[in-house]
Amino acid sequence: MARLKRDAAERAVSLVESGMIVGLGTGSTAIFATRRISELLESGALRDIVGVPTSAASENAARRLGVPLLDREWSGTIDITIDGADEVDPALNLIKGGGGALLWEKIVAQSSRREVIVVDESKLSTRLGTRWPVPIEVVAFGWRSQSDFIESLGGAASLRAEEGRPFETDEGNYVLDCAFGPIADVSALGDRLAGRAGIVEHGLFVGLATDLIVAGEGGIEHRVR
């Protein structure tokens, strides 16, 4: 499966052209794409590429691999972003944030002309929430009140922890992993969560993915929304 994920990420990189601004995804699949971009820059097959990281981890990886980056105060439109997802429905809506980078990932996705998601076939689902909880980034102040609010919407919220302490995102916030079960209306749930003070961002990515590249035992499949 690792080989298939690498092949799928490299298929996504074939969509990158010289001169592009490229969003660099976070996670085990997306790093294959960043490595491939680095190889193509080194060989001269790609030129004048500038990256935008979706997390401090992807930023550090890009610097280590020699991929030039825009500074953190960037603005404007990103030509293409290559990223992963935790769960994907048939309409190419996503759950993201398993790595805790959902805020940066959504900022980059919303600024991208083309959002290419690379996954293995285990991430496909008939309905979001079937296989994965929804990560929700919250400020530390009053986080328990956000947990109560989520439970009022039918979700079971669990504070993400790391080494016995609350996990902190790159912006210093907490993450609640929220099990809703299969979600009947992802747009409506996303709107309810977005309207709540103290919730910084949620991991429902609705209508943002333009392409899906799936690695499976039968090979690589490319779907377009």
Side-chain angles (χ1 to χ4, degrees):
M1 186 57 72
R3 177 183 57 79
L4 288 170
K5 289 165 72 172
R6 183 198 66 208
D7 291 346
E10 292 183 358
R11 172 78 66 86
V13 173
S14 72
L15 304 174
V16 176
E17 300 176 1
S18 293
M20 281 186 167
I21 298 174
V22 181
L24 304 174
T26 297
S28 60
T29 302
I31 189 62
F32 286 123
T34 303
R35 288 174 182 157
R36 182 59 177 161
I37 290 169
S38 172
E39 292 169 357
L40 294 173
L41 285 170
E42 185 173 357
S43 71
L46 283 178
R47 303 180 308 280
D48 302 322
I49 295 294
V50 183
V52 178
T54 55
S55 65
S58 67
E59 181 179 51
N60 292 337
R63 294 192 189 285
R64 186 172 65 252
L65 292 165
V67 178
L69 296 174
L70 294 180
D71 64 40
R72 290 193 176 189
E73 298 180 358
W74 61 271
S75 65
T77 301
I78 297 166
D79 294 298
I80 187 170
T81 292
I82 302 172
D83 207 350
D86 302 307
E87 192 170 11
V88 185
D89 74 10
L92 304 196
N93 297 316
L94 319 169
I95 289 178
K96 287 177 57 57
L102 61 155
L103 177 58
W104 285 27
E105 287 174 334
K106 191 170 284 188
I107 291 170
V108 171
Q110 289 178 338
S111 299
S112 299
R113 289 192 179 95
R114 195 169 187 180
E115 175 83 357
V116 181
I117 299 299
V118 182
V119 296
D120 65 76
E121 60 187 357
S122 71
K123 305 298 177 64
L124 303 180
S125 177
T126 56
R127 187 172 289 184
L128 294 185
T130 301
R131 297 173 178 268
W132 202 267
V134 179
I136 299 176
E137 186 166 343
V138 299
V139 297
F141 177 79
W143 72 263
R144 292 183 186 275
S145 70
Q146 310 311 333
S147 179
D148 293 341
F149 172 70
I150 288 158
E151 291 183 5
S152 77
L153 300 179
S158 175
L159 180 67
R160 189 179 297 185
E162 187 175 65
E163 297 180 352
R165 298 178 56 83
F167 170 87
E168 293 190 4
T169 69
D170 289 334
E171 297 295 335
N173 298 313
Y174 290 175
V175 173
L176 298 175
D177 290 308
C178 304
F180 288 95
I183 301 167
D185 190 333
V186 292
S187 295
L189 178 58
D191 289 344
R192 292 292 301 276
L193 295 171
R196 174 77 174 184
I199 290 180
V200 179
E201 193 49 81
H202 59 80
L204 296 172
F205 284 52
V206 180
L208 291 173
T210 60
D211 297 70
L212 178 67
I213 298 178
V214 183
E217 292 301 332
I220 306 301
E221 179 185 1
H222 184 179
R223 305 179 190 176
V224 177
R225 179 169 61 84

